[in-house]
Amino acid sequence: MVKPLVLSLFIFASLQARAQQKMEVYGVVLDYYNHEVVSGVQLELPRNQVANPDPISGKFVFTVSPNVEYILTIQAQDYISKRIPFIVTDQAIDLGTIFLERDITYEKSNNLITLTDSDLLEDEMSSITSGMLQASKDVFLNRAAFDFGQAFFRVRGYGSENGQVLLNGIPMNKMINGRPQWNNWGGLNDVTRNQEYTHGLQLSDHTFGGILGSTNINTRPSGFRKGTRISSSASNRTYAGRLMATYSSGRGQNGLSYSVSASRRWAKEGYIDGTLYDAYSLFGAVEYTVDQNNSLLFTGMMTPNRRGRSSAITEEVFNLKGAKYNPYWGIQDDEIRNARERKVAEPILMLNHFYSAGKWDVNTGISYQFGTDARSRLGYYNAPNPDPTYYRYLPSFYINSPIGANFVSANMAKDGFLKNPQLNWNRLYKANTTPTMEGKSSYLLYDDTLKEVQLSINSVANFRISPSMKMDFGGTFRDVESDNYAQIKDLLGGDFHEDVNRFSNTLNDVEGNVLKAEGDKFNYWYKINSQVLSLFSQFSITRNKWEGFLAGNYSTTSYQREGLYRNERYNENSMGKGEKAEFSNFGAKGGYTYKFNGRHWISLSGAYIMKAPVYQNVFINPRENNDIVPNLQSEKINTVDINYYLRMLKLTGRVTGFYSRFQNTTDINFFYVDAGVGSDFVQEVVSDLDKLHMGAELGLEYQVSSSVNLTAVAAVGKYLYASDPMVTINFDTSGAEDEIIDPLGISNLGVSKIKGLKLSQGPQLAYALGVEYRDPKYWWIGATTNYLGNKYAGISTITRTASFYIDPDTGSQFPNATEDNVQKLLRQQELDDIYLLNIVGGKSWLKGGKYIGVFVSVNNIFDLSYRTGGYEQSRNGNFGQLLQDSLSGSPSFAPKYWYGYGRTYFINLAVSF
């Protein structure tokens, strides 16, 4: 009886030991072309085993359980990912040498940069998110960046201010609007490609992040591939040509490594008429490895960019001149001259210290950024408006006349516009040089200039408590001084400008000289001092079947205006320092992931985040006074998402459902309005505004064979206003007493009934099907067909207040302003659906040790015209006036639209050695 019992215990113990026995899986990862070690390789096995090969030899090793089927995923920047299945028995497995082939779709990111250059459009369209997504391997996000982005698609309807962009761990989002300024590193594709993107609420090693995620751009030369790369591009999008050269030394034996890069981009005009492009980019980085644990990194970059801007246009103008039409330019001395240029030159200098030892990784950095962002425009004083699309110059003005349509004058206006559709520079010079002007300029060209100096200090530590537990914590301090002023650029033949407000005949600079010359500041001059202190901490735990995290952050933000002009319209409230606006906020997020096995898992994440308003939504009229929005609150965001992930050998994908609610948001707008309570140039403050974003995402990728790959992507969203906000208008009281809306300079218009209307956040519906073929002889071609719909024009909030019903002549409600008639008149404009076919392809060669690659992309093959966005004009702020303007079907103040590019191409030739 004893012997069988002992034997049973021995057999059971043997089986237990065998079950707990661990086996090794090892191998080497090298570059296919030169058999050298590949930088930045990440290897991943199911159940959260992640490893990096030895940076010197490329060797790796995993410890795994026997009798289990695994799929090893190998990824590296600019290389084709590999997925290798294997089964562990009772012996160690040598996977041998695994060669990674360079991804000849590398140039897709260069193509994307020409799209993110569209961020330099007007502010209403500048919050696209494509740039943040280029580093993602996720098929849905990849499609959103490279195909949907041209139609101004936003992931989950979020603007780029809801994501955070870091440069070596230091935040780069601007304080004025919360958005990253991609132009600050534009043209430096080769040295800003090493990016780490975390999507949505996922944890980042570097920051708490936003609900859109975070992107950290790593410029350490030790991580760049050694050698030289020279490329040349041609395109008909934002620029016509580009030259770029980059050299990286690799990791030197003395611990020194460096990289330098330079590029030039140019165009006499881009796809849109009159949009010149002139940009230079310079980059240098030096890294010194002090010892095994410490290294220092210095990074410097300068990317001055000058480009001509374009305008949104009404449907009437589009029908006359087409989608490429741009009213901002005209011919002067046989050259294109654009009155609305933007010049950005904001160099960045940065020093980082990296410490890595045992369980600790610490990155501490300091950044200094300075420079200007100048936007030119024409000013006109006691003179006709020079804009060729001014409403009085178009046929609709005569058709919509309150005394009856005048078709003869309308046809004359049409002929005149078609004959002279552009800005007439010669006429402006002639007006300024007439003897009666005595040297005073009625017209002038000036810059609205934002000159900033920003100091940022950041430190983040990652501590591995155990193999399965990790803690990250850090803090950032940012101090920004923004100098804002108008500066005379060109008096257009005149000798001086009289700095007097043209509406109220009051002085803009009471204590200064009223006569201003070229180069002088005028009109307004003030500073905004901003400070932010942000702290975060996060804890994560990883087990075989599940993982979870908790994270929190705390921040303090302060803004203060300092007026440098005493404005006669606000004599007591324009000069000197105003009240300081201060905010203290916190946020928390958490997530849980359950893995059914290495091929199927689900994750659930949620967050509650408070954010200080950006300072462009804090000060009501900062050009003229110190006033702050009363009872201003921090924005609150509640969000949750659930994801299902699939990782089969041939089929991979993700399905996501999300819900986000933004509360207490504030928005400030500037426009002239004929409202029911009166007419004036106003500052509109919209407060207590809630927004709702909800929907689903799908991304699937199927590897038919080693050469053929299929993708399917879908996004279905519902983005709408979730509250009826309060609307107040502010205005100066220096005009004639009988023309003032209210002697107090402010009028509370009550609620704006917009709840349930759609947000103008790009397409809310998007589908794409793609196919890609990679030939063993190193050429490839891919095509995607895309559908984007459910796009809406931005609404006017003032036309949806009670004042819209009031007749300004009588003070009583319009008799025919019934709810039904008002709803018909204010029906939100839905934009046409978009169908796009895009084709990309490329070929690579290895000749005499030189790697040569050609990339070609053609977007919108069928050259379709489509609207990417638009907005209602607020000029007609009362029912009677808007009704009269709409009767003909061609309103003078119709919505304005931006139009996408027709058929465009991008060609790139690159040589690496």
Side-chain angles (χ1 to χ4, degrees):
M1 191 69 184
V2 175
K3 288 183 179 181
L5 180 59
V6 172
L7 183 60
S8 298
L9 290 174
F10 177 77
I11 294 172
F12 179 76
S14 300
L15 291 173
Q16 284 289 94
R18 183 180 179 86
Q20 295 175 5
Q21 186 180 6
K22 297 292 185 178
M23 296 296 174
E24 285 190 345
V25 176
Y26 53 90
V28 178
V29 179
L30 298 177
D31 184 292
Y32 176 83
Y33 291 98
N34 55 28
H35 291 202
E36 292 182 357
V37 174
V38 178
S39 299
V41 175
Q42 179 172 298
L43 303 102
E44 184 175 359
L45 286 176
R47 301 188 180 181
N48 306 300
Q49 290 198 59
V50 179
N52 303 103
D54 182 85
I56 306 299
S57 65
K59 294 180 179 179
F60 67 89
V61 61
F62 282 101
T63 303
V64 297
S65 300
N67 301 316
V68 177
E69 183 179 351
Y70 293 92
I71 298 177
L72 174 63
T73 302
I74 307 171
Q75 295 180 338
Q77 186 77 40
D78 305 330
Y79 286 85
I80 300 173
S81 299
K82 284 200 171 185
R83 306 177 76 238
I84 301 174
F86 62 90
I87 299 177
V88 180
T89 56
D90 56 355
Q91 294 181 356
I93 294 181
D94 181 4
L95 296 177
T97 301
I98 302 170
F99 291 108
L100 293 184
E101 298 175 25
R102 295 185 187 180
D103 189 352
I104 54 180
T105 62
Y106 166 94
E107 303 302 339
K108 284 179 69 176
S109 65
N110 292 327
N111 177 42
L112 177 64
I113 296 302
T114 69
L115 300 177
T116 54
D117 280 334
S118 299
D119 282 357
L120 299 178
L121 291 171
E122 296 290 346
D123 287 340
E124 288 86 349
M125 295 298 292
S126 68
S127 63
I128 61 173
T129 55
S130 300
M132 286 192 64
L133 311 178
Q134 60 179 303
S136 174
K137 298 290 186 180
D138 182 278
V139 62
F140 174 84
L141 299 177
N142 196 268
R143 190 67 68 225
F146 292 100
D147 287 283
F148 297 162
Q150 61 191 295
F152 289 88
F153 175 83
R154 296 167 174 83
V155 174
R156 302 185 185 180
Y158 302 154
S160 59
E161 65 275 11
N162 291 295
Q164 193 165 41
V165 175
L166 314 171
L167 189 60
N168 295 322
I170 297 178
M172 288 288 112
N173 295 54
K174 291 294 186 179
M175 300 283 279
I176 184 172
N177 55 22
R179 300 169 185 160
Q181 174 65 274
W182 295 103
N183 190 59
N184 287 161
W185 48 88
L188 298 174
N189 311 43
D190 291 344
V191 290
T192 58
R193 289 184 49 76
N194 191 359
Q195 300 181 14
E196 180 184 337
Y197 174 70
T198 55
H199 179 49
L201 299 178
Q202 294 174 350
L203 280 187
S204 165
D205 289 340
H206 313 282
T207 180
F208 180 81
I211 63 171
L212 181 63
S214 66
T215 295
N216 182 55
I217 302 172
N218 185 342
T219 66
R220 298 179 70 172
S222 60
F224 295 158
R225 185 187 303 129
K226 180 180 179 179
T228 300
R229 186 175 189 274
I230 300 173
S231 64
S232 177
S233 306
S235 177
N236 66 338
R237 294 171 186 168
T238 54
Y239 55 75
R242 186 192 66 186
L243 293 173
M244 184 185 301
T246 302
Y247 174 75
S248 296
S249 67
R251 191 190 301 267
Q253 293 183 352
N254 59 357
L256 195 67
S257 54
Y258 63 92
S259 293
V260 291
S261 185
S263 75
R264 170 86 168 95
R265 292 166 290 162
W266 69 91
K268 187 175 181 179
E269 59 180 340
Y271 183 83
I272 303 297
D273 293 342
T275 53
L276 67 93
Y277 199 103
D278 185 20
Y280 295 85
S281 301
L282 296 171
F283 170 92
V286 179
E287 183 178 4
Y288 177 62
T289 303
V290 180
D291 55 36
Q292 187 177 357
N293 305 124
N294 297 274
S295 61
L296 297 172
L297 169 66
F298 171 79
T299 304
M301 62 183 70
M302 180 172 64
T303 59
N305 181 295
R306 168 176 168 250
R307 70 167 289 175
R309 295 156 66 197
S310 60
S311 172
I313 57 176
T314 62
E315 189 171 1
E316 176 186 17
V317 174
F318 168 79
N319 290 332
L320 290 171
K321 290 296 295 178
K324 290 186 177 183
Y325 175 70
N326 178 17
Y328 288 160
W329 68 276
I331 297 294
Q332 181 182 354
D333 297 331
D334 297 324
E335 296 286 337
I336 292 174
R337 187 179 185 184
N338 192 314
R340 294 286 189 103
E341 290 185 2
R342 184 178 181 186
K343 292 182 179 179
V344 180
E346 297 177 314
I348 300 172
L349 301 174
M350 186 175 294
L351 181 66
N352 289 82
H353 170 254
F354 299 94
Y355 172 81
S356 181
K359 297 182 177 182
W360 287 93
D361 290 302
V362 182
N363 174 14
T364 301
I366 182 170
S367 170
Y368 180 73
Q369 184 175 18
F370 59 97
T372 58
D373 182 348
R375 308 183 189 209
S376 67
R377 63 187 301 135
L378 278 172
Y380 57 99
Y381 304 86
N382 299 317
N385 191 326
D387 181 359
T389 60
Y390 183 54
Y391 77 100
R392 290 179 177 270
Y393 305 155
L394 296 174
S396 58
F397 174 73
Y398 300 96
I399 294 175
N400 299 320
S401 172
I403 61 174
N406 185 335
F407 293 102
V408 174
S409 295
N411 283 327
M412 291 177 62
K414 176 183 176 181
D415 293 340
F417 176 74
L418 292 175
K419 186 177 179 180
N420 297 292
Q422 301 306 142
L423 195 61
N424 192 325
W425 288 101
N426 292 333
R427 185 181 297 170
L428 305 185
Y429 277 87
K430 185 176 180 180
N432 283 348
T433 54
T434 56
T436 57
M437 294 304 298
E438 298 180 339
K440 184 171 77 171
S441 288
S442 293
Y443 297 99
L444 58 86
L445 187 69
Y446 68 93
D447 283 333
D448 286 316
T449 302
L450 171 61
K451 184 178 181 180
E452 279 195 343
V453 175
Q454 176 172 297
L455 178 68
S456 302
I457 302 173
N458 181 81
S459 186
V460 175
N462 312 120
F463 177 61
R464 289 173 294 280
I465 302 171
S466 71
S468 62
M469 288 187 288
K470 182 169 173 276
M471 176 167 279
D472 311 302
F473 50 90
T476 301
F477 174 76
R478 303 171 71 190
D479 182 271
V480 182
E481 182 177 276
S482 306
D483 209 1
N484 302 263
Y485 53 85
Q487 185 172 33
I488 298 176
K489 188 176 181 180
D490 190 343
L491 287 169
L492 303 179
D495 297 324
F496 64 90
H497 166 66
E498 192 174 49
D499 194 13
V500 176
N501 182 276
R502 62 190 173 103
F503 295 109
S504 61
N505 200 34
T506 54
L507 295 174
N508 295 318
D509 179 15
V510 173
E511 299 175 2
N513 189 348
V514 69
L515 302 183
K516 306 288 186 177
E518 285 183 7
D520 287 349
K521 297 181 178 67
F522 81 112
N523 196 11
Y524 66 92
W525 186 13
Y526 66 94
K527 294 180 182 289
I528 298 290
N529 295 284
S530 310
Q531 288 189 342
V532 174
L533 174 64
S534 179
L535 306 171
F536 83 96
S537 180
Q538 54 196 29
F539 171 79
S540 61
I541 183 169
T542 302
R543 299 296 189 192
N544 283 340
K545 297 288 289 184
W546 64 273
E547 60 183 87
F549 72 87
L550 288 173
N553 82 325
Y554 174 79
S555 64
T556 61
T557 305
S558 67
Y559 307 118
Q560 187 175 36
R561 179 188 184 272
E562 180 183 1
L564 300 175
Y565 276 176
R566 186 178 301 281
N567 189 300
E568 189 175 0
R569 295 176 297 285
Y570 300 94
N571 216 13
E572 303 300 323
N573 191 29
S574 53
M575 188 77 167
K577 292 184 177 180
E579 177 188 355
K580 185 179 288 189
E582 297 180 298
F583 307 89
S584 295
N585 295 301
F586 68 90
K589 66 179 182 179
Y592 176 81
T593 299
Y594 180 77
K595 298 197 172 187
F596 301 101
N597 50 48
R599 300 184 176 189
H600 306 271
W601 66 93
I602 59 170
S603 68
L604 175 67
S605 302
Y608 174 80
I609 299 173
M610 295 177 64
K611 290 174 57 179
V614 294
Y615 78 69
Q616 71 176 10
N617 290 327
V618 171
F619 301 97
I620 297 174
N621 184 14
R623 293 185 176 183
E624 298 188 340
N625 61 58
N626 289 326
D627 286 345
I628 294 173
V629 174
N631 305 314
L632 187 60
Q633 303 179 66
S634 292
E635 181 179 329
K636 298 177 182 178
I637 305 173
N638 295 278
T639 183
V640 63
D641 64 53
I642 184 168
N643 301 270
Y644 165 70
Y645 295 91
L646 173 67
R647 291 292 183 271
M648 307 294 286
L649 184 58
K650 288 183 174 289
L651 179 66
T652 62
R654 171 175 63 89
V655 181
T656 296
F658 63 90
Y659 174 94
S660 298
R661 188 181 182 96
F662 298 77
Q663 296 174 281
N664 299 338
T665 63
T666 302
D667 193 24
I668 299 178
N669 306 293
F670 304 84
F671 51 84
Y672 187 89
V673 64
D674 295 318
V677 294
S679 301
D680 208 336
F681 184 84
V682 302
Q683 302 88 47
E684 178 195 53
V685 179
V686 182
S687 55
D688 297 326
L689 176 62
D690 292 1
K691 302 174 184 178
L692 179 65
H693 297 240
M694 59 189 300
E697 301 167 345
L698 169 69
L700 294 173
E701 185 171 11
Y702 183 71
Q703 195 75 38
V704 179
S705 68
S706 60
S707 299
V708 179
N709 187 51
L710 303 178
T711 58
V713 162
V716 180
K718 185 177 182 180
Y719 318 137
L720 47 82
Y721 293 100
S723 71
D724 291 328
M726 299 295 297
V727 175
T728 59
I729 54 174
N730 298 260
F731 38 85
D732 73 68
T733 57
S734 57
E737 193 169 321
D738 59 341
E739 296 177 353
I740 298 174
I741 295 177
D742 192 299
L744 297 177
I746 184 172
S747 179
N748 187 343
L749 302 184
V751 299
S752 178
K753 295 184 178 180
I754 64 173
K755 185 176 181 180
L757 296 179
K758 300 298 178 65
L759 294 171
S760 178
Q761 292 291 100
Q764 302 191 19
L765 192 64
Y767 301 111
L769 293 174
V771 59
E772 184 178 285
Y773 173 78
R774 292 175 183 265
D775 193 85
K777 294 183 179 180
Y778 304 108
W779 63 268
W780 69 283
I781 188 170
T784 58
T785 177
N786 307 274
Y787 166 80
L788 300 106
N790 287 15
K791 308 187 312 301
Y792 296 87
I795 62 168
S796 165
T797 49
I798 197 170
T799 58
R800 290 164 174 84
T801 63
S803 69
F804 182 75
Y805 293 79
I806 299 174
D807 186 337
D809 295 328
T810 65
S812 302
Q813 181 171 322
F814 287 101
N816 56 339
T818 64
E819 286 297 322
D820 189 46
N821 287 341
V822 169
Q823 286 183 12
K824 289 179 181 178
L825 196 59
L826 296 179
R827 182 178 292 113
Q828 188 174 10
Q829 178 71 39
E830 183 175 1
L831 308 185
D832 297 333
D833 296 340
I834 300 173
Y835 300 88
L836 297 172
L837 176 63
N838 303 327
I839 294 179
V840 294
K843 169 72 172 150
S844 65
W845 301 266
L846 187 64
K847 300 288 186 181
K850 295 181 175 63
Y851 179 81
I852 304 170
V854 173
F855 172 86
V856 179
S857 76
V858 182
N859 284 357
N860 193 0
I861 291 287
F862 297 118
D863 197 27
L864 301 178
S865 179
Y866 59 93
R867 293 176 287 191
T868 58
Y871 60 93
E872 297 174 356
Q873 298 192 70
S874 295
R875 174 66 178 264
N876 292 324
N878 67 77
F879 175 81
Q881 194 163 305
L882 182 58
L883 179 64
Q884 175 65 38
D885 194 32
S886 304
L887 290 177
S888 70
S890 180
S892 296
F893 296 98
K896 288 191 171 184
Y897 302 105
W898 284 276
Y899 289 84
Y901 295 165
R903 185 187 301 113
T904 60
Y905 66 87
F906 178 83
I907 304 171
N908 191 83
L909 170 66
V911 180
S912 302
F913 53 91

